[in-house]
Amino acid sequence: MKSAAAARDKAEAASEAKSRFLATVSHEFRTPLNGILGLAELLAATPLNAEQRSYLAAIRASGDALSSLINEILDFSRLEAGKLELKQSEFDLPALIEGAVELLSPRAQGKGIEICSLIDKDLPRLVIGDSGRLRQVLINLVGNAVKFTEVGGVAVEAAPGCEDRLRFSVFDTGPGIPESRRRAIFHDFEQADGSSTRRHEGTGLGLAISRRIVQHMGGKLWLEDSGPRGSRFCFEIPLQGTTTPWVREIEPRLVDRQILIVGDAPFGCDYLARRLSDAGAHTSVVREQGQAAARLSSGDYTPDFVIVDCSLGESAIGELSNLSRKFPRCKSVLLFSPFERRAFGEAMLNNFDGWLVKPVRLESVGAKLFYCTSRKNEEKEHGDVEREEPSLSGRRFLLAEDNDVNALLVERQLGKLGAIVTRAHDGIEAVRLVEESFAGTAPPFAAILMDIRMPNLDGLSAARGIRALEQSRMRKPVSIVALTANAFDDDREAALLAGMQGFLTKPVDLAALVQTLNEIDGQG
């Protein structure tokens, strides 16, 4: 018995040592990688010619790929060590699904393929489960589908499954998976194409990790179908939810409206038609320009809306826009992605009453159709016009960061918004600067951005020291945001326990930084 216990303890110690080693190596990898990605973002905001922009795009793509590989290896290590913990909380299911699709839409649209989602109208809006892990599985599956699809599109569907479970299906129009590889792809370090001449790089861990996460959540993941016309991956998990369907309010103005949708996209037009039909509209989907023109010229059809997919081409778009004008009360709506808009320019938009931006969020599509003449508001919602930059003018921030490159990135980002930044090179200097601000020898700080790993005194210890100072001086707590290369849940919990209010992973995204600062400012 003693030998068995000793062997178990030895194995656990080895597993713990491996996890610590990978976490440390990950941090060391991420530090220079964060500098590369962050400086690429700063460089992207400067004047560049076409050749320089292409080089910069390659740098960013390579950096993103390396970051993804690091994440997969770390996730695999944690799963191997049995350290995957599920965080149960209530979350908005449609928002999570559509958010994951939108996150991957630039990658898909940059390849010229469609990406969209559809949530069954009977599913609950609020469910209880681990939203972070569900998002990770969706992004793994959808990301894989985008990577291997060259023509057509990728789609996600969520619907009721078996035995009170929810089923998520990811469709693609890629080349399919050879029958001989269909079981192997779920094994560690295996890919659909295992040959030395494969076109797509990767560790072969994405599906293996996703399968283990789904199993840990009490569900199952499988390959439903695959062939020359594409593949379908499915997974089912138990998620407790409310009995209220997510589509709680049907747009009453859509009832009995005649809507013609014209487009040859493999998924999006049909999904849009299904959503509008759920609201009571009479929808028709036509794939070709000629069929749509014949329908509009027949004399026995009077549409209320004509929705035209931009992918049909400039000639078809122009003809269908002109045909729709002969119906006095008909509104013409253009459906396009940001990439397509840049290709066609502003002139084409002037032929339409409004537009919808792909991937379309289906919940509010009815209201958008009736609001489509207000182009300015529609664009603002999707971020297709230049927004007024959020301002941090005059606000003072303390940045505790030992790495010069990371410090430069944050200083430049905040500086663009008018903020005043004071830098501390380690935790000891950060505590001293806060103490000086309490003594009145230096201006107070609106918030502190604290790196977790620093020499002499780390960020967690510095945060605890600042909180102790505040208590002893009877001072109102200053907001502290953690900056770290590690995105694990236990890192986040450690930061919160040390008295921090926010948590950002490097390289720090400007939008996320401003949002976090505004949120903690509002809480104060």
Side-chain angles (χ1 to χ4, degrees), residues 126-169:
L126 299 178
V127 297
I128 297 173
D130 191 322
S131 60
R133 292 302 176 184
L134 174 57
R135 182 185 294 105
Q136 181 180 359
V137 173
L138 282 173
I139 289 176
N140 272 348
L141 295 178
V142 178
N144 265 356
V146 170
K147 179 167 70 172
F148 290 102
T149 301
E150 300 298 332
V151 178
V154 173
V156 181
E157 286 189 20
C162 301
E163 300 176 354
D164 296 325
R165 296 184 176 192
L166 270 62
R167 173 178 289 203
F168 300 85
S169 304

Side-chain angles (χ1 to χ4, degrees), residues 3 14 55 67 135 155 201 207 272 274 293 345 390 409 435 451 455 507:
S3 60
Y55 295 157
S67 179
R135 182 185 294 105
E201 298 298 328
L207 284 175
L272 183 57
R274 285 173 59 180
L409 295 174
E435 188 171 16
D451 183 26

Side-chain angles (χ1 to χ4, degrees), residues 18-132:
K18 181 177 70 174
S19 296
R20 287 198 306 269
F21 170 75
L22 285 173
T24 301
V25 170
S26 164
H27 185 274
E28 296 305 318
F29 280 157
R30 286 178 185 275
T31 297
L33 178 60
N34 293 336
I36 292 169
L37 291 175
L39 287 170
E41 290 299 318
L42 290 179
L43 187 59
T46 64
L48 300 171
N49 60 38
E51 183 179 9
Q52 291 168 332
R53 282 195 298 271
S54 68
Y55 295 157
L56 181 60
I59 291 172
R60 295 163 79 175
S62 298
D64 288 338
L66 181 55
S67 179
S68 178
L69 292 177
I70 293 171
N71 289 337
E72 286 185 349
I73 292 171
L74 287 172
D75 276 333
F76 179 74
S77 170
R78 294 172 74 83
L79 286 164
E80 285 284 288
K83 289 189 174 183
L84 181 69
E85 296 182 3
L86 299 179
K87 308 293 183 182
Q88 302 293 326
S89 62
E90 189 176 68
F91 64 93
D92 187 318
L93 179 64
L96 184 147
I97 296 170
E98 292 186 324
V101 169
E102 288 179 354
L103 182 67
L104 293 166
S105 62
R107 191 187 308 174
Q109 292 165 354
K111 295 180 67 175
I113 63 174
E114 177 191 25
I115 186 168
C116 57
S117 62
L118 179 67
I119 300 97
D120 190 280
K121 63 183 179 66
D122 294 324
L123 288 186
R125 170 182 291 282
L126 299 178
V127 297
I128 297 173
D130 191 322
S131 60

Side-chain angles (χ1 to χ4, degrees), residues 235-247:
F235 67 95
E236 289 187 352
I237 54 174
L239 288 175
Q240 298 177 355
T242 62
T243 56
T244 305
W246 79 278
V247 183

Side-chain angles (χ1 to χ4, degrees), residues 406-424:
N406 288 336
L408 173 65
L409 295 174
V410 177
E411 287 174 341
R412 291 289 174 85
Q413 287 176 324
L414 291 175
K416 287 182 178 180
L417 303 180
I420 302 169
V421 182
T422 300
R423 181 188 172 190

